[in-house]
Amino acid sequence: MGARSKPRVEVRRSGRRRRTVSAYRDGAKIVVLVPDNLTGEEERAWVTKMVARVERKELRAAAPRRWDDADLMTRARRLSDDYLGGLAVPESVRWVGNQRARWGSCTPRDRSIRLSERLQRMPEWVLDYVIVHELAHLIEPQHDEKFWGWVAHYPAAEKAKGYLAGWSDAARMPRPPSEEVYPAGDAVD
């Protein structure tokens, strides 16, 4: 692995800023906002600290979630207990790399749940929503009123649906079908 290049840094001093220092990414550069009264040495120390903080945050955001299938199964069981009364009991929950049009899928016949690897970089509450959605298919296979009633037990369901719709729109991807009716036993999203 090669050494990373140093980012371009722009320091903006402000007479109105008294004690706070902040930084953010602006395209290819990192902007560091500092009080006007800092010495050159203090400024250099703060710039070093704040650039490192921005880069760490970006690395964390870019790193995929490191959960294996056992972790996903544990999480699914907890979510089933918390929001579905423990009624949805999957046989397997795993990451898959071949889902480009869906966030997840469930086959009620063999009680298997597959989650798109794209979810690995999304907030946990979004992943949890997709898991609850797929778990609900183990109770109600169709996207009918009863199904959506189960999904609604997850408190962030509407927020997560909006997040996923926004993500799909920003990526110029079609939104996964969510209102379709599937024959019982077939894979559903």
Side-chain angles (χ1 to χ4, degrees), residues 18-53:
R18 296 285 175 228
R19 292 182 289 192
T20 60
V21 177
S22 61
Y24 62 92
R25 171 76 63 181
D26 183 16
K29 67 183 172 192
I30 295 176
V31 177
V32 181
L33 307 169
V34 299
D36 201 24
N37 61 354
L38 291 183
T39 67
E41 186 178 328
E42 290 171 324
E43 178 184 301
R44 282 187 295 280
W46 273 110
V47 166
T48 300
K49 179 178 181 176
M50 298 308 287
V51 166
R53 184 177 290 174

PDB file of all heavy atoms in Angstrom, residues 18-53:
ATOM      1  N   ARG A  18     -13.871  32.878  18.510  1.00  0.00           N
ATOM      2  CA  ARG A  18     -13.076  33.107  19.722  1.00  0.00           C
ATOM      3  C   ARG A  18     -12.255  31.893  20.152  1.00  0.00           C
ATOM      4  O   ARG A  18     -11.074  31.994  20.408  1.00  0.00           O
ATOM      5  CB  ARG A  18     -13.982  33.538  20.889  1.00  0.00           C
ATOM      6  CG  ARG A  18     -14.662  34.853  20.658  1.00  0.00           C
ATOM      7  CD  ARG A  18     -13.656  35.976  20.825  1.00  0.00           C
ATOM      8  NE  ARG A  18     -14.292  37.237  20.495  1.00  0.00           N
ATOM      9  CZ  ARG A  18     -13.759  38.133  19.704  1.00  0.00           C
ATOM     10  NH1 ARG A  18     -12.595  37.941  19.172  1.00  0.00           N
ATOM     11  NH2 ARG A  18     -14.392  39.244  19.441  1.00  0.00           N
ATOM     12  N   ARG A  19     -12.917  30.728  20.273  1.00  0.00           N
ATOM     13  CA  ARG A  19     -12.214  29.559  20.798  1.00  0.00           C
ATOM     14  C   ARG A  19     -12.379  28.307  19.953  1.00  0.00           C
ATOM     15  O   ARG A  19     -11.608  27.373  20.089  1.00  0.00           O
ATOM     16  CB  ARG A  19     -12.715  29.241  22.213  1.00  0.00           C
ATOM     17  CG  ARG A  19     -12.326  30.283  23.236  1.00  0.00           C
ATOM     18  CD  ARG A  19     -12.802  29.874  24.592  1.00  0.00           C
ATOM     19  NE  ARG A  19     -14.257  30.009  24.629  1.00  0.00           N
ATOM     20  CZ  ARG A  19     -14.994  29.951  25.705  1.00  0.00           C
ATOM     21  NH1 ARG A  19     -14.422  29.720  26.861  1.00  0.00           N
ATOM     22  NH2 ARG A  19     -16.277  30.107  25.651  1.00  0.00           N
ATOM     23  N   THR A  20     -13.379  28.267  19.121  1.00  0.00           N
ATOM     24  CA  THR A  20     -13.648  27.011  18.411  1.00  0.00           C
ATOM     25  C   THR A  20     -12.828  26.885  17.135  1.00  0.00           C
ATOM     26  O   THR A  20     -12.542  27.865  16.457  1.00  0.00           O
ATOM     27  CB  THR A  20     -15.146  26.893  18.045  1.00  0.00           C
ATOM     28  OG1 THR A  20     -15.495  27.986  17.199  1.00  0.00           O
ATOM     29  CG2 THR A  20     -16.006  26.879  19.290  1.00  0.00           C
ATOM     30  N   VAL A  21     -12.482  25.650  16.849  1.00  0.00           N
ATOM     31  CA  VAL A  21     -11.786  25.301  15.614  1.00  0.00           C
ATOM     32  C   VAL A  21     -12.620  24.205  14.963  1.00  0.00           C
ATOM     33  O   VAL A  21     -13.078  23.281  15.633  1.00  0.00           O
ATOM     34  CB  VAL A  21     -10.351  24.784  15.902  1.00  0.00           C
ATOM     35  CG1 VAL A  21      -9.662  24.355  14.614  1.00  0.00           C
ATOM     36  CG2 VAL A  21      -9.537  25.845  16.633  1.00  0.00           C
ATOM     37  N   SER A  22     -12.843  24.319  13.675  1.00  0.00           N
ATOM     38  CA  SER A  22     -13.593  23.278  12.968  1.00  0.00           C
ATOM     39  C   SER A  22     -12.973  23.056  11.601  1.00  0.00           C
ATOM     40  O   SER A  22     -12.165  23.866  11.128  1.00  0.00           O
ATOM     41  CB  SER A  22     -15.076  23.661  12.848  1.00  0.00           C
ATOM     42  OG  SER A  22     -15.219  24.857  12.110  1.00  0.00           O
ATOM     43  N   ALA A  23     -13.360  21.954  10.969  1.00  0.00           N
ATOM     44  CA  ALA A  23     -12.813  21.618   9.653  1.00  0.00           C
ATOM     45  C   ALA A  23     -13.844  20.806   8.885  1.00  0.00           C
ATOM     46  O   ALA A  23     -14.666  20.096   9.469  1.00  0.00           O
ATOM     47  CB  ALA A  23     -11.521  20.829   9.805  1.00  0.00           C
ATOM     48  N   TYR A  24     -13.766  20.931   7.564  1.00  0.00           N
ATOM     49  CA  TYR A  24     -14.650  20.160   6.700  1.00  0.00           C
ATOM     50  C   TYR A  24     -14.011  20.006   5.329  1.00  0.00           C
ATOM     51  O   TYR A  24     -13.090  20.738   4.964  1.00  0.00           O
ATOM     52  CB  TYR A  24     -16.028  20.823   6.577  1.00  0.00           C
ATOM     53  CG  TYR A  24     -15.997  22.211   5.962  1.00  0.00           C
ATOM     54  CD1 TYR A  24     -16.159  22.393   4.594  1.00  0.00           C
ATOM     55  CD2 TYR A  24     -15.809  23.338   6.774  1.00  0.00           C
ATOM     56  CE1 TYR A  24     -16.126  23.655   4.037  1.00  0.00           C
ATOM     57  CE2 TYR A  24     -15.779  24.607   6.223  1.00  0.00           C
ATOM     58  CZ  TYR A  24     -15.942  24.765   4.851  1.00  0.00           C
ATOM     59  OH  TYR A  24     -15.904  26.020   4.296  1.00  0.00           O
ATOM     60  N   ARG A  25     -14.505  19.022   4.593  1.00  0.00           N
ATOM     61  CA  ARG A  25     -14.026  18.762   3.242  1.00  0.00           C
ATOM     62  C   ARG A  25     -14.788  19.665   2.281  1.00  0.00           C
ATOM     63  O   ARG A  25     -15.998  19.778   2.359  1.00  0.00           O
ATOM     64  CB  ARG A  25     -14.254  17.295   2.898  1.00  0.00           C
ATOM     65  CG  ARG A  25     -14.015  16.916   1.468  1.00  0.00           C
ATOM     66  CD  ARG A  25     -12.593  16.810   1.061  1.00  0.00           C
ATOM     67  NE  ARG A  25     -11.874  15.761   1.766  1.00  0.00           N
ATOM     68  CZ  ARG A  25     -10.594  15.525   1.567  1.00  0.00           C
ATOM     69  NH1 ARG A  25      -9.897  16.253   0.716  1.00  0.00           N
ATOM     70  NH2 ARG A  25      -9.987  14.574   2.233  1.00  0.00           N
ATOM     71  N   ASP A  26     -14.073  20.296   1.374  1.00  0.00           N
ATOM     72  CA  ASP A  26     -14.672  21.106   0.320  1.00  0.00           C
ATOM     73  C   ASP A  26     -14.010  20.683  -0.988  1.00  0.00           C
ATOM     74  O   ASP A  26     -12.966  21.208  -1.360  1.00  0.00           O
ATOM     75  CB  ASP A  26     -14.461  22.598   0.596  1.00  0.00           C
ATOM     76  CG  ASP A  26     -15.132  23.487  -0.446  1.00  0.00           C
ATOM     77  OD1 ASP A  26     -15.995  22.983  -1.203  1.00  0.00           O
ATOM     78  OD2 ASP A  26     -14.793  24.684  -0.499  1.00  0.00           O
ATOM     79  N   GLY A  27     -14.598  19.691  -1.632  1.00  0.00           N
ATOM     80  CA  GLY A  27     -14.008  19.148  -2.855  1.00  0.00           C
ATOM     81  C   GLY A  27     -12.696  18.443  -2.549  1.00  0.00           C
ATOM     82  O   GLY A  27     -12.637  17.556  -1.705  1.00  0.00           O
ATOM     83  N   ALA A  28     -11.616  18.878  -3.198  1.00  0.00           N
ATOM     84  CA  ALA A  28     -10.310  18.238  -3.021  1.00  0.00           C
ATOM     85  C   ALA A  28      -9.540  18.792  -1.832  1.00  0.00           C
ATOM     86  O   ALA A  28      -8.471  18.291  -1.501  1.00  0.00           O
ATOM     87  CB  ALA A  28      -9.487  18.398  -4.287  1.00  0.00           C
ATOM     88  N   LYS A  29     -10.050  19.828  -1.203  1.00  0.00           N
ATOM     89  CA  LYS A  29      -9.304  20.438  -0.088  1.00  0.00           C
ATOM     90  C   LYS A  29     -10.058  20.290   1.228  1.00  0.00           C
ATOM     91  O   LYS A  29     -11.253  20.013   1.253  1.00  0.00           O
ATOM     92  CB  LYS A  29      -9.030  21.922  -0.363  1.00  0.00           C
ATOM     93  CG  LYS A  29     -10.278  22.774  -0.369  1.00  0.00           C
ATOM     94  CD  LYS A  29      -9.951  24.211  -0.723  1.00  0.00           C
ATOM     95  CE  LYS A  29     -11.265  24.983  -0.901  1.00  0.00           C
ATOM     96  NZ  LYS A  29     -11.069  26.275  -1.507  1.00  0.00           N
ATOM     97  N   ILE A  30      -9.317  20.477   2.311  1.00  0.00           N
ATOM     98  CA  ILE A  30      -9.903  20.508   3.644  1.00  0.00           C
ATOM     99  C   ILE A  30      -9.792  21.947   4.135  1.00  0.00           C
ATOM    100  O   ILE A  30      -8.713  22.546   4.104  1.00  0.00           O
ATOM    101  CB  ILE A  30      -9.184  19.541   4.604  1.00  0.00           C
ATOM    102  CG1 ILE A  30      -9.388  18.096   4.129  1.00  0.00           C
ATOM    103  CG2 ILE A  30      -9.680  19.729   6.038  1.00  0.00           C
ATOM    104  CD1 ILE A  30      -8.640  17.057   4.943  1.00  0.00           C
ATOM    105  N   VAL A  31     -10.926  22.497   4.569  1.00  0.00           N
ATOM    106  CA  VAL A  31     -10.968  23.862   5.076  1.00  0.00           C
ATOM    107  C   VAL A  31     -10.959  23.793   6.597  1.00  0.00           C
ATOM    108  O   VAL A  31     -11.761  23.080   7.196  1.00  0.00           O
ATOM    109  CB  VAL A  31     -12.233  24.608   4.582  1.00  0.00           C
ATOM    110  CG1 VAL A  31     -12.302  26.015   5.177  1.00  0.00           C
ATOM    111  CG2 VAL A  31     -12.260  24.652   3.061  1.00  0.00           C
ATOM    112  N   VAL A  32     -10.022  24.533   7.212  1.00  0.00           N
ATOM    113  CA  VAL A  32      -9.922  24.577   8.671  1.00  0.00           C
ATOM    114  C   VAL A  32     -10.236  26.018   9.098  1.00  0.00           C
ATOM    115  O   VAL A  32      -9.604  26.965   8.627  1.00  0.00           O
ATOM    116  CB  VAL A  32      -8.517  24.168   9.165  1.00  0.00           C
ATOM    117  CG1 VAL A  32      -8.456  24.192  10.686  1.00  0.00           C
ATOM    118  CG2 VAL A  32      -8.142  22.783   8.636  1.00  0.00           C
ATOM    119  N   LEU A  33     -11.217  26.159   9.962  1.00  0.00           N
ATOM    120  CA  LEU A  33     -11.634  27.466  10.468  1.00  0.00           C
ATOM    121  C   LEU A  33     -11.056  27.658  11.865  1.00  0.00           C
ATOM    122  O   LEU A  33     -11.306  26.842  12.758  1.00  0.00           O
ATOM    123  CB  LEU A  33     -13.163  27.542  10.510  1.00  0.00           C
ATOM    124  CG  LEU A  33     -13.875  27.187   9.202  1.00  0.00           C
ATOM    125  CD1 LEU A  33     -15.372  27.039   9.428  1.00  0.00           C
ATOM    126  CD2 LEU A  33     -13.580  28.224   8.133  1.00  0.00           C
ATOM    127  N   VAL A  34     -10.270  28.729  12.035  1.00  0.00           N
ATOM    128  CA  VAL A  34      -9.593  28.964  13.320  1.00  0.00           C
ATOM    129  C   VAL A  34      -9.832  30.399  13.779  1.00  0.00           C
ATOM    130  O   VAL A  34     -10.080  31.300  12.967  1.00  0.00           O
ATOM    131  CB  VAL A  34      -8.069  28.704  13.210  1.00  0.00           C
ATOM    132  CG1 VAL A  34      -7.786  27.262  12.825  1.00  0.00           C
ATOM    133  CG2 VAL A  34      -7.411  29.662  12.243  1.00  0.00           C
ATOM    134  N   PRO A  35      -9.710  30.646  15.101  1.00  0.00           N
ATOM    135  CA  PRO A  35      -9.793  32.020  15.602  1.00  0.00           C
ATOM    136  C   PRO A  35      -8.592  32.835  15.100  1.00  0.00           C
ATOM    137  O   PRO A  35      -7.498  32.301  14.889  1.00  0.00           O
ATOM    138  CB  PRO A  35      -9.733  31.866  17.117  1.00  0.00           C
ATOM    139  CG  PRO A  35     -10.015  30.433  17.400  1.00  0.00           C
ATOM    140  CD  PRO A  35      -9.598  29.672  16.182  1.00  0.00           C
ATOM    141  N   ASP A  36      -8.798  34.113  14.956  1.00  0.00           N
ATOM    142  CA  ASP A  36      -7.765  35.011  14.453  1.00  0.00           C
ATOM    143  C   ASP A  36      -6.613  35.204  15.442  1.00  0.00           C
ATOM    144  O   ASP A  36      -5.520  35.597  15.056  1.00  0.00           O
ATOM    145  CB  ASP A  36      -8.417  36.369  14.135  1.00  0.00           C
ATOM    146  CG  ASP A  36      -7.601  37.183  13.172  1.00  0.00           C
ATOM    147  OD1 ASP A  36      -6.809  36.588  12.415  1.00  0.00           O
ATOM    148  OD2 ASP A  36      -7.753  38.422  13.174  1.00  0.00           O
ATOM    149  N   ASN A  37      -6.864  34.908  16.715  1.00  0.00           N
ATOM    150  CA  ASN A  37      -5.867  35.199  17.746  1.00  0.00           C
ATOM    151  C   ASN A  37      -4.875  34.060  18.004  1.00  0.00           C
ATOM    152  O   ASN A  37      -4.080  34.135  18.931  1.00  0.00           O
ATOM    153  CB  ASN A  37      -6.561  35.578  19.059  1.00  0.00           C
ATOM    154  CG  ASN A  37      -7.430  34.457  19.604  1.00  0.00           C
ATOM    155  OD1 ASN A  37      -7.603  33.433  18.957  1.00  0.00           O
ATOM    156  ND2 ASN A  37      -7.986  34.663  20.789  1.00  0.00           N
ATOM    157  N   LEU A  38      -4.883  33.002  17.196  1.00  0.00           N
ATOM    158  CA  LEU A  38      -3.937  31.899  17.396  1.00  0.00           C
ATOM    159  C   LEU A  38      -2.550  32.293  16.904  1.00  0.00           C
ATOM    160  O   LEU A  38      -2.409  33.012  15.919  1.00  0.00           O
ATOM    161  CB  LEU A  38      -4.380  30.658  16.619  1.00  0.00           C
ATOM    162  CG  LEU A  38      -5.631  29.918  17.064  1.00  0.00           C
ATOM    163  CD1 LEU A  38      -5.829  28.678  16.196  1.00  0.00           C
ATOM    164  CD2 LEU A  38      -5.578  29.540  18.521  1.00  0.00           C
ATOM    165  N   THR A  39      -1.547  31.779  17.604  1.00  0.00           N
ATOM    166  CA  THR A  39      -0.166  31.959  17.120  1.00  0.00           C
ATOM    167  C   THR A  39       0.049  31.014  15.947  1.00  0.00           C
ATOM    168  O   THR A  39      -0.739  30.081  15.721  1.00  0.00           O
ATOM    169  CB  THR A  39       0.847  31.621  18.228  1.00  0.00           C
ATOM    170  OG1 THR A  39       0.773  30.213  18.499  1.00  0.00           O
ATOM    171  CG2 THR A  39       0.612  32.441  19.498  1.00  0.00           C
ATOM    172  N   GLY A  40       1.122  31.216  15.211  1.00  0.00           N
ATOM    173  CA  GLY A  40       1.452  30.336  14.092  1.00  0.00           C
ATOM    174  C   GLY A  40       1.630  28.895  14.538  1.00  0.00           C
ATOM    175  O   GLY A  40       1.174  27.960  13.872  1.00  0.00           O
ATOM    176  N   GLU A  41       2.256  28.705  15.687  1.00  0.00           N
ATOM    177  CA  GLU A  41       2.471  27.353  16.216  1.00  0.00           C
ATOM    178  C   GLU A  41       1.143  26.701  16.603  1.00  0.00           C
ATOM    179  O   GLU A  41       0.914  25.520  16.314  1.00  0.00           O
ATOM    180  CB  GLU A  41       3.405  27.427  17.437  1.00  0.00           C
ATOM    181  CG  GLU A  41       3.800  26.061  17.981  1.00  0.00           C
ATOM    182  CD  GLU A  41       4.764  26.183  19.161  1.00  0.00           C
ATOM    183  OE1 GLU A  41       5.560  27.145  19.191  1.00  0.00           O
ATOM    184  OE2 GLU A  41       4.692  25.304  20.028  1.00  0.00           O
ATOM    185  N   GLU A  42       0.265  27.463  17.251  1.00  0.00           N
ATOM    186  CA  GLU A  42      -1.051  26.938  17.629  1.00  0.00           C
ATOM    187  C   GLU A  42      -1.860  26.581  16.378  1.00  0.00           C
ATOM    188  O   GLU A  42      -2.522  25.536  16.330  1.00  0.00           O
ATOM    189  CB  GLU A  42      -1.818  27.963  18.477  1.00  0.00           C
ATOM    190  CG  GLU A  42      -1.260  28.163  19.862  1.00  0.00           C
ATOM    191  CD  GLU A  42      -1.917  29.342  20.582  1.00  0.00           C
ATOM    192  OE1 GLU A  42      -2.231  30.362  19.924  1.00  0.00           O
ATOM    193  OE2 GLU A  42      -2.106  29.229  21.809  1.00  0.00           O
ATOM    194  N   GLU A  43      -1.784  27.448  15.393  1.00  0.00           N
ATOM    195  CA  GLU A  43      -2.516  27.187  14.153  1.00  0.00           C
ATOM    196  C   GLU A  43      -2.033  25.894  13.501  1.00  0.00           C
ATOM    197  O   GLU A  43      -2.835  25.047  13.110  1.00  0.00           O
ATOM    198  CB  GLU A  43      -2.354  28.351  13.176  1.00  0.00           C
ATOM    199  CG  GLU A  43      -3.058  28.097  11.844  1.00  0.00           C
ATOM    200  CD  GLU A  43      -2.826  29.214  10.848  1.00  0.00           C
ATOM    201  OE1 GLU A  43      -3.181  30.371  11.137  1.00  0.00           O
ATOM    202  OE2 GLU A  43      -2.286  28.889   9.754  1.00  0.00           O
ATOM    203  N   ARG A  44      -0.715  25.709  13.382  1.00  0.00           N
ATOM    204  CA  ARG A  44      -0.165  24.493  12.763  1.00  0.00           C
ATOM    205  C   ARG A  44      -0.624  23.248  13.535  1.00  0.00           C
ATOM    206  O   ARG A  44      -0.987  22.239  12.934  1.00  0.00           O
ATOM    207  CB  ARG A  44       1.358  24.569  12.692  1.00  0.00           C
ATOM    208  CG  ARG A  44       1.869  25.451  11.550  1.00  0.00           C
ATOM    209  CD  ARG A  44       3.376  25.375  11.388  1.00  0.00           C
ATOM    210  NE  ARG A  44       4.106  25.919  12.545  1.00  0.00           N
ATOM    211  CZ  ARG A  44       4.319  27.212  12.771  1.00  0.00           C
ATOM    212  NH1 ARG A  44       3.869  28.101  11.915  1.00  0.00           N
ATOM    213  NH2 ARG A  44       4.979  27.609  13.838  1.00  0.00           N
ATOM    214  N   ALA A  45      -0.600  23.328  14.864  1.00  0.00           N
ATOM    215  CA  ALA A  45      -1.024  22.187  15.685  1.00  0.00           C
ATOM    216  C   ALA A  45      -2.509  21.869  15.444  1.00  0.00           C
ATOM    217  O   ALA A  45      -2.888  20.697  15.286  1.00  0.00           O
ATOM    218  CB  ALA A  45      -0.763  22.469  17.161  1.00  0.00           C
ATOM    219  N   TRP A  46      -3.338  22.911  15.409  1.00  0.00           N
ATOM    220  CA  TRP A  46      -4.769  22.697  15.180  1.00  0.00           C
ATOM    221  C   TRP A  46      -5.032  22.167  13.770  1.00  0.00           C
ATOM    222  O   TRP A  46      -5.871  21.287  13.572  1.00  0.00           O
ATOM    223  CB  TRP A  46      -5.567  23.980  15.424  1.00  0.00           C
ATOM    224  CG  TRP A  46      -5.972  24.140  16.848  1.00  0.00           C
ATOM    225  CD1 TRP A  46      -5.508  25.052  17.752  1.00  0.00           C
ATOM    226  CD2 TRP A  46      -6.916  23.336  17.542  1.00  0.00           C
ATOM    227  NE1 TRP A  46      -6.114  24.867  18.967  1.00  0.00           N
ATOM    228  CE2 TRP A  46      -6.991  23.821  18.865  1.00  0.00           C
ATOM    229  CE3 TRP A  46      -7.725  22.263  17.193  1.00  0.00           C
ATOM    230  CZ2 TRP A  46      -7.821  23.260  19.824  1.00  0.00           C
ATOM    231  CZ3 TRP A  46      -8.558  21.706  18.150  1.00  0.00           C
ATOM    232  CH2 TRP A  46      -8.597  22.204  19.443  1.00  0.00           C
ATOM    233  N   VAL A  47      -4.333  22.699  12.776  1.00  0.00           N
ATOM    234  CA  VAL A  47      -4.534  22.238  11.404  1.00  0.00           C
ATOM    235  C   VAL A  47      -4.189  20.754  11.304  1.00  0.00           C
ATOM    236  O   VAL A  47      -4.954  19.955  10.738  1.00  0.00           O
ATOM    237  CB  VAL A  47      -3.711  23.091  10.406  1.00  0.00           C
ATOM    238  CG1 VAL A  47      -3.643  22.414   9.035  1.00  0.00           C
ATOM    239  CG2 VAL A  47      -4.299  24.489  10.293  1.00  0.00           C
ATOM    240  N   THR A  48      -3.061  20.349  11.872  1.00  0.00           N
ATOM    241  CA  THR A  48      -2.659  18.939  11.857  1.00  0.00           C
ATOM    242  C   THR A  48      -3.740  18.070  12.508  1.00  0.00           C
ATOM    243  O   THR A  48      -4.146  17.032  11.964  1.00  0.00           O
ATOM    244  CB  THR A  48      -1.306  18.746  12.580  1.00  0.00           C
ATOM    245  OG1 THR A  48      -0.325  19.530  11.899  1.00  0.00           O
ATOM    246  CG2 THR A  48      -0.893  17.293  12.609  1.00  0.00           C
ATOM    247  N   LYS A  49      -4.211  18.499  13.666  1.00  0.00           N
ATOM    248  CA  LYS A  49      -5.225  17.739  14.405  1.00  0.00           C
ATOM    249  C   LYS A  49      -6.539  17.649  13.617  1.00  0.00           C
ATOM    250  O   LYS A  49      -7.137  16.580  13.510  1.00  0.00           O
ATOM    251  CB  LYS A  49      -5.473  18.413  15.756  1.00  0.00           C
ATOM    252  CG  LYS A  49      -6.510  17.739  16.605  1.00  0.00           C
ATOM    253  CD  LYS A  49      -6.660  18.454  17.944  1.00  0.00           C
ATOM    254  CE  LYS A  49      -7.681  17.756  18.810  1.00  0.00           C
ATOM    255  NZ  LYS A  49      -7.784  18.364  20.132  1.00  0.00           N
ATOM    256  N   MET A  50      -6.980  18.767  13.054  1.00  0.00           N
ATOM    257  CA  MET A  50      -8.275  18.792  12.382  1.00  0.00           C
ATOM    258  C   MET A  50      -8.245  18.067  11.037  1.00  0.00           C
ATOM    259  O   MET A  50      -9.217  17.417  10.652  1.00  0.00           O
ATOM    260  CB  MET A  50      -8.760  20.233  12.215  1.00  0.00           C
ATOM    261  CG  MET A  50      -8.979  20.963  13.544  1.00  0.00           C
ATOM    262  SD  MET A  50     -10.047  20.064  14.710  1.00  0.00           S
ATOM    263  CE  MET A  50     -11.641  20.301  13.938  1.00  0.00           C
ATOM    264  N   VAL A  51      -7.145  18.143  10.311  1.00  0.00           N
ATOM    265  CA  VAL A  51      -7.020  17.403   9.055  1.00  0.00           C
ATOM    266  C   VAL A  51      -7.072  15.905   9.354  1.00  0.00           C
ATOM    267  O   VAL A  51      -7.767  15.146   8.676  1.00  0.00           O
ATOM    268  CB  VAL A  51      -5.729  17.796   8.300  1.00  0.00           C
ATOM    269  CG1 VAL A  51      -5.412  16.805   7.187  1.00  0.00           C
ATOM    270  CG2 VAL A  51      -5.852  19.212   7.747  1.00  0.00           C
ATOM    271  N   ALA A  52      -6.364  15.489  10.388  1.00  0.00           N
ATOM    272  CA  ALA A  52      -6.383  14.066  10.776  1.00  0.00           C
ATOM    273  C   ALA A  52      -7.805  13.641  11.152  1.00  0.00           C
ATOM    274  O   ALA A  52      -8.247  12.536  10.797  1.00  0.00           O
ATOM    275  CB  ALA A  52      -5.420  13.817  11.937  1.00  0.00           C
ATOM    276  N   ARG A  53      -8.524  14.490  11.845  1.00  0.00           N
ATOM    277  CA  ARG A  53      -9.900  14.171  12.257  1.00  0.00           C
ATOM    278  C   ARG A  53     -10.801  13.995  11.030  1.00  0.00           C
ATOM    279  O   ARG A  53     -11.581  13.040  10.950  1.00  0.00           O
ATOM    280  CB  ARG A  53     -10.447  15.276  13.162  1.00  0.00           C
ATOM    281  CG  ARG A  53     -11.821  14.969  13.714  1.00  0.00           C
ATOM    282  CD  ARG A  53     -12.299  16.038  14.658  1.00  0.00           C
ATOM    283  NE  ARG A  53     -11.519  16.007  15.882  1.00  0.00           N
ATOM    284  CZ  ARG A  53     -11.635  16.909  16.850  1.00  0.00           C
ATOM    285  NH1 ARG A  53     -12.470  17.911  16.743  1.00  0.00           N
ATOM    286  NH2 ARG A  53     -10.906  16.799  17.941  1.00  0.00           N
TER     287      ARG A  53
END
